[in-house]
């Protein structure tokens, strides 16, 4: 394999005094581009984009999650969009993309699954999506692109969140491999109409 750079226009070869200047090129052994890493004479390995906020206070259920995002590649496994948890995996709520490329809302209380719902329609690469979900006792629901998912009328709220994880789930695994354009956490249960309007 090789990388070649050609000039276009005249169709002739470069002659003395003609130059091609290149700057800022970055080659990566991945299926998609990541953030630019400036280097000099040595190669560099970039750290993964990872944002987690700990020590969260004043946030409790019912709550609602909203994200506008774009996938850059398909890892073939579950990938997180946003997660809130009590500091451990025992109590958490999250928006994710499952291995079948479906948007999923999931909530767990004391290690017991409470909400686990998807909306039909596989998510494509390079397309921007809007999704929102409310997590509320016996009344959880989510929406994607203005379409409501099935309401869950038998669910218990997890313990209050103490951590927010952006673009991944499970404490640093299952990364989104894409772009989070907007994200919001509402400290109340959004109505069906609000879920629809936010994601349209």
């Amino acid at each position: 394999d090789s990388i070649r750079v050609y000039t276009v226009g005249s169709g002739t070869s470069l002659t003395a005094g003609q130059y091609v200047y290149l700057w800022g090129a970055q080659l990566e052994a991945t299926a998609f581009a990541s953030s630019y890493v400036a280097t000099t004479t040595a190669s560099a390995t970039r750290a993964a984009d990872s944002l987690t906020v700990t020590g969260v206070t004043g946030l409790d259920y019912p709550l609602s999650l909203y994200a506008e995002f774009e996938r850059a590649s398909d890892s073939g496994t579950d990938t997180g969009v946003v997660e809130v948890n009590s500091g451990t995996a025992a109590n958490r709520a999250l928006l994710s993309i499952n291995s079948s490329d479906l948007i999923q809302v999931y909530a767990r209380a004391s290690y017991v699954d409470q909400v686990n719902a998807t909306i039909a329609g596989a998510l494509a690469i390079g397309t921007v999506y809007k999704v929102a979900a409310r997590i509320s006792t016996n009344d959880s629901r989510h929406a994607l692109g203005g379409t409501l998912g099935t309401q869950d009328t038998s669910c218990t709220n997890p313990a209050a969140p103490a951590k927010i994880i952006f673009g991944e789930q499970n404490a640093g695994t299952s990364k989104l491999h894409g772009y989070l354009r907007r994200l919001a956490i509402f400290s109340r249960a959004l109505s069906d109409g609000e879920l629809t309007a936010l994601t349209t």
Side-chain angles (χ1 to χ4, degrees):
D1 293 334
S2 64
I3 297 173
R4 300 180 182 187
V5 178
Y6 295 92
T7 59
V8 296
S10 66
T12 60
S13 300
L14 292 176
T15 59
Q18 293 179 311
Y19 302 95
V20 174
Y21 294 96
L22 299 176
W23 177 86
Q26 179 167 301
L27 305 178
E28 300 184 69
T30 62
F32 57 94
S34 64
S35 305
Y36 178 66
V37 179
T39 60
T40 53
T41 57
S43 62
T45 301
R46 64 182 300 279
D49 291 327
S50 183
L51 176 59
T52 299
V53 178
T54 58
V56 174
T57 59
L59 182 62
D60 204 349
Y61 297 89
L63 60 75
S64 301
L65 304 171
Y66 167 78
E68 181 179 340
F69 65 94
E70 176 184 346
R71 301 174 76 200
S73 73
D74 185 353
S75 66
T77 61
D78 293 351
T79 56
V81 177
V82 61
E83 175 178 325
V84 294
N85 67 44
S86 63
T88 73
N91 293 277
R92 61 187 185 140
L94 60 98
L95 295 173
S96 65
I97 303 161
N98 68 19
S99 58
S100 298
D101 299 326
L102 302 178
I103 194 70
Q104 180 174 35
V105 60
Y106 175 83
R108 162 192 281 184
S110 299
Y111 287 110
V112 177
D113 291 355
Q114 300 295 325
V115 180
N116 190 357
T118 60
I119 292 179
L123 305 186
I125 303 301
T127 301
V128 177
Y129 294 96
K130 296 178 183 178
V131 61
R134 72 168 174 264
I135 308 298
S136 182
T137 300
N138 299 332
D139 182 22
S140 294
R141 195 170 208 176
H142 69 307
L144 172 68
T147 299
L148 285 169
T150 303
Q151 183 182 17
D152 190 323
T153 59
S154 180
C155 50
T156 301
N157 287 335
K163 180 188 289 187
I164 304 170
I165 305 171
F166 299 84
E168 57 190 64
Q169 66 181 26
N170 296 333
T173 64
S174 304
K175 296 184 184 299
L176 174 62
H177 298 295
Y179 309 97
L180 272 175
R181 293 169 170 251
R182 291 182 181 86
L183 191 136
I185 301 173
F186 299 86
S187 57
R188 64 182 180 86
L190 296 180
S191 68
D192 287 358
E194 289 172 316
L195 294 176
T196 301
L198 265 177
T199 59
T200 299

